[in-house]
Amino acid sequence: MAGKAVEKRRPEVDPRDEPSAAWGWHGSFPKATRIAGWVSAIILLVMIKGNHENNTENVWLVGLSLFIVLLLVLDIRKQRTAWRK
């Protein structure tokens, strides 16, 4: 039963270009990637509390955290408007 359903679907990618498409795997983990991004941004902000002598480390930690958050917000925006294209 499942074999016929798999045969009916036309792959979007050519298995010759990407062999993994032949056995059904061709994707990513969007939900896990977003969760990992938010966790990374939070961990960077938590790392501010430490034994820093200067604020240079804090600037980098906040800057990288804000960059990750910006990418996540752009990804959410792209996800919301993907059906319009």
Side-chain angles (χ1 to χ4, degrees):
M1 241 170 116
K4 292 180 183 179
V6 172
E7 289 175 7
K8 289 181 184 177
R9 286 188 297 170
R10 294 182 60 199
E12 295 177 13
V13 266
D14 189 9
R16 290 175 291 185
D17 294 335
E18 300 187 25
S20 60
W23 50 270
W25 169 253
H26 188 76
S28 60
F29 302 103
K31 191 173 184 180
T33 305
R34 289 184 196 105
I35 291 171
W38 287 111
V39 169
S40 298
I42 291 169
I43 288 173
L44 285 172
L45 291 175
V46 169
M47 287 172 55
I48 290 175
K49 182 164 174 50
N51 58 355
H52 304 141
E53 294 181 13
N54 296 326
N55 282 331
T56 306
E57 296 92 352
N58 295 339
V59 171
W60 276 99
L61 290 171
V62 171
L64 289 173
S65 179
L66 288 176
F67 180 68
I68 292 172
V69 169
L70 173 70
L71 291 177
L72 289 167
V73 169
L74 290 175
D75 183 52
I76 290 171
R77 182 174 174 226
K78 184 179 89 170
Q79 180 185 6
R80 287 185 183 173
T81 59
W83 61 273
R84 294 184 202 168
K85 293 180 182 180

